[in-house]
Amino acid sequence: MVDIMDARKVRLAYLKFFEDRGHKVIPRALLVPQNDPTTLFTGSGMQPLIPYLLGEEHPQGRRLTNSQTCLRSQDIDEIGDNRHTTFFEMLGNWSLGDYFKEEQIQWFFEFLTKEIKLDPSRIYVTCFIGDAKNKIPKDEISAKIWTNLFKEIGIDHASAEIGSEEDGYRLGTQGARILFYSDKNWWSRSGKPEDMPLNEPGGPDTEVFYLFPQVEHDPKYGKKCHFNCDCGRYIELGNSVFMEYLKTSDGFVKLPKRNVDYGGGLERIAAAAINSPDVFKISLLFPIIQKLESLSNKTYEVETNSMRIIADHLRGAVFLAVDGVVPSNKEQGYVMRRLIRRAIRFSFNLGIEDKFIAEISQLILSLYEPDFPEIKAVKQKVVETLNKEENIFSQTLRKGLRELSKLQDKGLSGADLFKLQDTFGFPYELSLEEAFSRNIKLKKDYKKEYLDLMEQQRKRSQTAAKGVFKGGLGGQTLIHKKYHTATHLMYQALREVLGDHVIQHGSNITEERLRFDFSHPDKMTPEQIAEVERIVNEQIDKDLIVTWEEHDTKEAMDKLHALGAFGDRYGKRVKVYRMQAKGESKPFSFEICGGPHVEHTAILKEQGKRFKILKEESSSSGIRRIKAALV
Ligand code: ATP
Ligand code: MG
């Protein structure tokens, strides 16, 4: 075959096409939105541009374009179908008070048919049907532009009215090329016209679908197929929003400055370019699938679902790591952790026994490095980050699965869900998913019970430790201080590696070693021990500055989340030790304690010493004991 456009070429062609039409190519925003605490991830090209769409002037002008990396964790349950991925690139172009419907619709059609060479007779579109109640007219203008475009090349251009998606399943396409929908073709930040607050802009949109005749309509989605049907026969390639109205107390009025916001999935357009209804067949994803085939000795044809999930999740996790996210139990880190752990879970379905994540991550990075120069500097760290999560999780996961099997007949309670997370590293949602696929019943109020336990754990971990070292810290020689500081570093490292359930239950220091007791239900694996050692030594090398500050006790615990020890009581004010690297905005360790400590952590490596865990053993039920030294 000649001149098939791979995904990289599609991206380049798109940017060039709009550059040639007066657009400035702007850089992508990071996956973690900067200065926007309301949302975890960048989920569209428009999101970082909202201030400009609302009227602020953009330094690059009124015509912009880019390819925006997006992450939609809300789409995680769709992964496995032919067209959704959690991570994807959204090709975008914007007019900020410049061109409008005429140019936008024509250009996109031209791009698809002339540049990408899609078959125009397989292109189908939707427009806004109008809203009588709010006196918003039907978008005849967009429909007319489409009609003319199709007419010019001799393609039928019949239209029909649909309304809601539900109506779509009842009415079907009716042989039309242009279908009018209601809410599906209305855009505002808050949804339908009636849900919008006053002074909010909104407008109709027009969506472009590509027909894949090789996909048969599946009636499980609805009686009749229509463009917005979920069966995947018509795939939405892109969506042009025309921001032209403002909601006022007098109803919807035309905005003086109208904007265009276009967003289309690179993966989907690239799939259309190779005539594949399956986005996983494109050049940025299929190599991952092929690697999974060779690692598992299974075929994509048979293991479609698992392979799609693994490829998608690891690609998402890799990009999160590129953008600086690390797995954790909170926010973005939690989503990343969930993606990685879910990928590992599905690798079991493929019978992959060995560690595989480093290899796949390297492959993913190599696919993107040519177009994302920022990858070069971070790629090694990215692989390490994912690899580490695999080390921590894959061993306990198998145990957790066995644990779940034991609950097959009993059903799952909130306490079980808590334990699965706490002990076996199963994110809550993953346990629910397992329960669902194995038909394990969920007990009454499981969610409330689980949330209560989580809250109790949070409180426990903040129960602070005044005088923890009162008994423990026998003298105040330099070596004692060193071990005392090492204890703080190790406490934090244990929490990072094992989880937030790790709470200090006791500590004792001699000239030879530190001893530390903490809550954790399992024997630590050699990998976990090595990882804790690595983190502590890393922090020693970073030469954290050790300082202390005094805080109101309640504030230290509830607001500043200072770490403490189990069962200790203290007065109104406490001393909190901070161990923080120069130039970093957050401390590595922040712990209530009486001191004393060394002044900076590099002192711990004097005479070439390294931190080492000598022994890890059971102390009492649910409590582990570590002895460690600087050797
Ligand atoms: P869908 O209904 O198919 O989920 P959407 O309405 O959520 O799409 P938009 O929010 O309009 O999509 O996003 C614009 C474009 O981004 C879509 O037309 C599609 O090409 C692409 N897109 C959206 N979500 C995904 C996803 N999860 N994976 C890949 N591409 C996506
Ligand atoms: Mg969607």
Short mmCIF file of all heavy atoms in Angstrom, two decimals, residues 7 85 87 267 279-290 308 311-312 315 363 367-368:
data_model
loop_
_atom_site.label_atom_id
_atom_site.label_comp_id
_atom_site.label_asym_id
_atom_site.label_seq_id
_atom_site.Cartn_x
_atom_site.Cartn_y
_atom_site.Cartn_z
N ALA A 7 0.51 7.43 12.91
CA ALA A 7 -0.04 8.42 13.85
C ALA A 7 0.84 9.66 13.99
O ALA A 7 0.33 10.77 14.09
CB ALA A 7 -0.22 7.75 15.22
N THR A 85 -9.24 5.42 25.28
CA THR A 85 -8.03 5.18 26.07
C THR A 85 -8.03 6.21 27.19
O THR A 85 -8.62 7.28 27.03
CB THR A 85 -6.77 5.34 25.20
OG1 THR A 85 -6.85 6.56 24.45
CG2 THR A 85 -6.62 4.18 24.22
N PHE A 87 -5.34 7.73 28.45
CA PHE A 87 -4.45 8.77 27.94
C PHE A 87 -4.69 8.88 26.44
O PHE A 87 -4.82 7.87 25.76
CB PHE A 87 -3.00 8.36 28.20
CG PHE A 87 -2.01 9.24 27.48
CD1 PHE A 87 -1.53 10.38 28.07
CD2 PHE A 87 -1.58 8.93 26.19
CE1 PHE A 87 -0.64 11.21 27.41
CE2 PHE A 87 -0.69 9.74 25.52
CZ PHE A 87 -0.21 10.89 26.13
N GLU A 267 -5.58 9.54 18.20
CA GLU A 267 -5.63 8.09 18.04
C GLU A 267 -6.75 7.67 17.09
O GLU A 267 -6.58 6.77 16.27
CB GLU A 267 -5.84 7.41 19.41
CG GLU A 267 -4.61 7.39 20.30
CD GLU A 267 -4.35 8.71 21.01
OE1 GLU A 267 -5.05 9.70 20.74
OE2 GLU A 267 -3.41 8.76 21.83
N VAL A 279 -8.44 1.66 17.69
CA VAL A 279 -7.33 2.62 17.87
C VAL A 279 -6.04 1.93 18.30
O VAL A 279 -4.96 2.48 18.13
CB VAL A 279 -7.66 3.74 18.89
CG1 VAL A 279 -8.80 4.61 18.42
CG2 VAL A 279 -7.92 3.19 20.28
N PHE A 280 -6.15 0.73 18.85
CA PHE A 280 -4.93 0.04 19.30
C PHE A 280 -4.08 -0.48 18.14
O PHE A 280 -3.00 -1.00 18.34
CB PHE A 280 -5.28 -1.10 20.27
CG PHE A 280 -5.77 -0.56 21.59
CD1 PHE A 280 -7.12 -0.29 21.79
CD2 PHE A 280 -4.88 -0.29 22.62
CE1 PHE A 280 -7.57 0.24 22.99
CE2 PHE A 280 -5.33 0.23 23.83
CZ PHE A 280 -6.67 0.50 24.02
N LYS A 281 -4.60 -0.30 16.92
CA LYS A 281 -3.82 -0.73 15.75
C LYS A 281 -2.90 0.36 15.22
O LYS A 281 -2.14 0.15 14.29
CB LYS A 281 -4.78 -1.17 14.63
CG LYS A 281 -5.48 -2.49 14.89
CD LYS A 281 -4.55 -3.66 14.58
CE LYS A 281 -5.10 -5.02 14.96
NZ LYS A 281 -6.21 -5.46 14.12
N ILE A 282 -2.97 1.55 15.80
CA ILE A 282 -2.15 2.65 15.26
C ILE A 282 -0.69 2.51 15.69
O ILE A 282 -0.36 1.77 16.62
CB ILE A 282 -2.69 4.04 15.68
CG1 ILE A 282 -2.50 4.27 17.18
CG2 ILE A 282 -4.14 4.20 15.26
CD1 ILE A 282 -2.69 5.70 17.60
N SER A 283 0.16 3.25 15.00
CA SER A 283 1.60 3.07 15.18
C SER A 283 2.10 3.43 16.58
O SER A 283 3.19 3.04 16.98
CB SER A 283 2.36 3.91 14.16
OG SER A 283 2.02 5.28 14.31
N LEU A 284 1.31 4.20 17.35
CA LEU A 284 1.75 4.54 18.71
C LEU A 284 1.28 3.53 19.74
O LEU A 284 1.66 3.60 20.90
CB LEU A 284 1.23 5.93 19.09
CG LEU A 284 1.86 7.11 18.33
CD1 LEU A 284 1.10 8.40 18.60
CD2 LEU A 284 3.34 7.26 18.71
N LEU A 285 0.41 2.60 19.33
CA LEU A 285 -0.11 1.62 20.30
C LEU A 285 0.16 0.17 19.90
O LEU A 285 0.38 -0.68 20.77
CB LEU A 285 -1.62 1.82 20.50
CG LEU A 285 -2.00 2.99 21.42
CD1 LEU A 285 -3.46 3.38 21.24
CD2 LEU A 285 -1.76 2.62 22.89
N PHE A 286 0.15 -0.10 18.61
CA PHE A 286 0.24 -1.50 18.21
C PHE A 286 1.56 -2.17 18.61
O PHE A 286 1.57 -3.35 19.01
CB PHE A 286 -0.06 -1.70 16.73
CG PHE A 286 -0.49 -3.11 16.43
CD1 PHE A 286 -1.57 -3.67 17.10
CD2 PHE A 286 0.19 -3.89 15.52
CE1 PHE A 286 -1.96 -4.99 16.86
CE2 PHE A 286 -0.19 -5.22 15.28
CZ PHE A 286 -1.27 -5.75 15.95
N PRO A 287 2.68 -1.45 18.57
CA PRO A 287 3.91 -2.10 19.04
C PRO A 287 3.81 -2.60 20.48
O PRO A 287 4.43 -3.60 20.84
CB PRO A 287 4.96 -0.97 18.92
CG PRO A 287 4.41 -0.06 17.87
CD PRO A 287 2.93 -0.11 18.02
N ILE A 288 3.03 -1.91 21.30
CA ILE A 288 2.87 -2.37 22.70
C ILE A 288 2.10 -3.68 22.71
O ILE A 288 2.43 -4.63 23.42
CB ILE A 288 2.13 -1.32 23.56
CG1 ILE A 288 2.71 0.08 23.33
CG2 ILE A 288 2.17 -1.70 25.02
CD1 ILE A 288 1.93 1.20 24.02
N ILE A 289 1.05 -3.73 21.90
CA ILE A 289 0.26 -4.95 21.80
C ILE A 289 1.15 -6.11 21.32
O ILE A 289 1.12 -7.22 21.88
CB ILE A 289 -0.91 -4.75 20.81
CG1 ILE A 289 -1.85 -3.63 21.28
CG2 ILE A 289 -1.65 -6.05 20.54
CD1 ILE A 289 -2.78 -3.96 22.40
N GLN A 290 1.97 -5.82 20.31
CA GLN A 290 2.83 -6.90 19.77
C GLN A 290 3.82 -7.39 20.81
O GLN A 290 4.09 -8.59 20.92
CB GLN A 290 3.58 -6.39 18.54
CG GLN A 290 2.66 -6.28 17.34
CD GLN A 290 3.34 -5.60 16.17
OE1 GLN A 290 3.99 -4.57 16.33
NE2 GLN A 290 3.19 -6.16 14.98
N ARG A 308 -5.56 -4.65 25.56
CA ARG A 308 -5.90 -3.23 25.43
C ARG A 308 -5.74 -2.53 26.78
O ARG A 308 -5.21 -1.42 26.86
CB ARG A 308 -7.35 -3.06 24.94
CG ARG A 308 -7.51 -3.31 23.45
CD ARG A 308 -8.97 -3.18 23.04
NE ARG A 308 -9.13 -3.36 21.60
CZ ARG A 308 -10.29 -3.45 20.98
NH1 ARG A 308 -11.43 -3.41 21.69
NH2 ARG A 308 -10.36 -3.60 19.68
N ALA A 311 -1.96 -2.16 27.68
CA ALA A 311 -1.29 -1.17 26.82
C ALA A 311 -1.74 0.24 27.19
O ALA A 311 -0.94 1.16 27.34
CB ALA A 311 -1.59 -1.46 25.35
N ASP A 312 -3.04 0.38 27.35
CA ASP A 312 -3.56 1.71 27.69
C ASP A 312 -3.04 2.19 29.04
O ASP A 312 -2.56 3.31 29.17
CB ASP A 312 -5.09 1.69 27.76
CG ASP A 312 -5.60 2.96 28.41
OD1 ASP A 312 -5.53 4.00 27.73
OD2 ASP A 312 -6.00 2.94 29.59
N ARG A 315 0.67 3.04 29.16
CA ARG A 315 0.96 4.27 28.43
C ARG A 315 0.56 5.49 29.28
O ARG A 315 1.30 6.46 29.41
CB ARG A 315 0.23 4.29 27.08
CG ARG A 315 0.63 5.47 26.22
CD ARG A 315 0.02 5.40 24.83
NE ARG A 315 -1.44 5.54 24.86
CZ ARG A 315 -2.14 6.17 23.92
NH1 ARG A 315 -1.52 6.70 22.87
NH2 ARG A 315 -3.45 6.24 23.99
N LEU A 363 9.64 0.66 25.86
CA LEU A 363 9.08 0.67 24.51
C LEU A 363 8.19 1.90 24.30
O LEU A 363 8.28 2.61 23.29
CB LEU A 363 8.28 -0.63 24.28
CG LEU A 363 7.43 -0.68 23.02
CD1 LEU A 363 8.30 -0.63 21.78
CD2 LEU A 363 6.57 -1.94 23.00
N LEU A 367 8.58 5.09 21.63
CA LEU A 367 7.59 5.47 20.62
C LEU A 367 7.34 6.98 20.62
O LEU A 367 7.01 7.57 19.61
CB LEU A 367 6.27 4.74 20.87
CG LEU A 367 6.27 3.22 20.68
CD1 LEU A 367 4.97 2.61 21.19
CD2 LEU A 367 6.46 2.89 19.21
N TYR A 368 7.47 7.58 21.81
CA TYR A 368 7.11 9.00 21.93
C TYR A 368 8.30 9.94 21.94
O TYR A 368 8.15 11.13 21.70
CB TYR A 368 6.25 9.21 23.19
CG TYR A 368 4.83 8.78 22.96
CD1 TYR A 368 4.41 7.48 23.24
CD2 TYR A 368 3.91 9.66 22.42
CE1 TYR A 368 3.11 7.07 22.99
CE2 TYR A 368 2.61 9.27 22.17
CZ TYR A 368 2.21 7.97 22.46
OH TYR A 368 0.93 7.59 22.20
#
